[in-house]
Amino acid sequence: MVEMITATYSQEDADWAITVSGQGKELTARAPGIIAARDRADQLVEELGGEGKTTVVHLLNGSAFEFTQAYMTARLTLPKLPPLEVPPPGSVPKQQKAVAEKKPALPPSKQLPKAVEESKPAAEPAQPEKAAEQARA
């Protein structure tokens, strides 16, 4: 048998009051926002217990639609953040630029021995003619 439980919400200043009723019992609580109130209602439903399947109807001002609208608006609304401040071009100090351009050092386990490093030929700039000849071959 399916038990029906009703969770009724009402806003009191910045807080929300929750009343969960069902199975001949009624539990109340408060929460700082509608999202927290919905989570608290789930906890109260668990406290009511119940054997079998339970269906919870969430109501705001007697309407499940109003509750859903308020809850989804709260869930999908991004918090207000201060605007991002981007410094004007060229305002980065030279010292910070030098640090940013410097490549990180390899850990000792990844470094080549000095003898190998010194004998490595300098990298030659790519020549398009040679690359074209190699591609034809």
Side-chain angles (χ1 to χ4, degrees):
M1 181 173 183
V2 176
E3 287 281 336
M4 189 166 107
I5 296 176
T6 304
T8 306
Y9 301 81
S10 61
Q11 189 170 10
E12 298 174 356
D13 297 323
D15 289 343
W16 288 80
I18 312 120
T19 304
V20 176
S21 56
Q23 302 175 352
K25 298 177 189 173
E26 187 172 284
L27 301 173
T28 60
R30 294 178 63 81
I34 194 162
I35 296 170
R38 173 65 166 79
D39 292 341
R40 185 67 180 117
D42 287 342
Q43 294 169 356
L44 294 175
V45 168
E46 287 181 21
E47 285 180 32
L48 282 178
E51 298 172 19
K53 187 173 179 165
T54 58
T55 299
V56 182
V57 178
H58 300 271
L59 303 173
L60 174 61
N61 299 327
S63 169
F65 178 74
E66 276 192 55
F67 171 79
T68 303
Q69 184 179 18
Y71 179 74
M72 293 307 293
T73 299
R75 293 292 291 191
L76 298 174
T77 303
L78 295 175
K80 297 203 181 216
L81 300 173
L84 179 64
E85 293 183 24
V86 178
S91 66
V92 178
K94 290 180 183 179
Q95 185 179 20
Q96 288 181 353
K97 284 183 182 178
V99 171
E101 292 172 0
K102 188 176 180 182
K103 291 183 180 179
L106 292 174
S109 63
K110 301 287 182 181
Q111 292 178 0
L112 294 173
K114 280 187 180 181
V116 173
E117 195 67 43
E118 291 170 356
S119 66
K120 280 176 47 177
E124 294 180 19
Q127 296 178 358
E129 296 144 8
K130 285 186 181 179
E133 286 178 25
Q134 290 176 354
R136 287 185 215 142

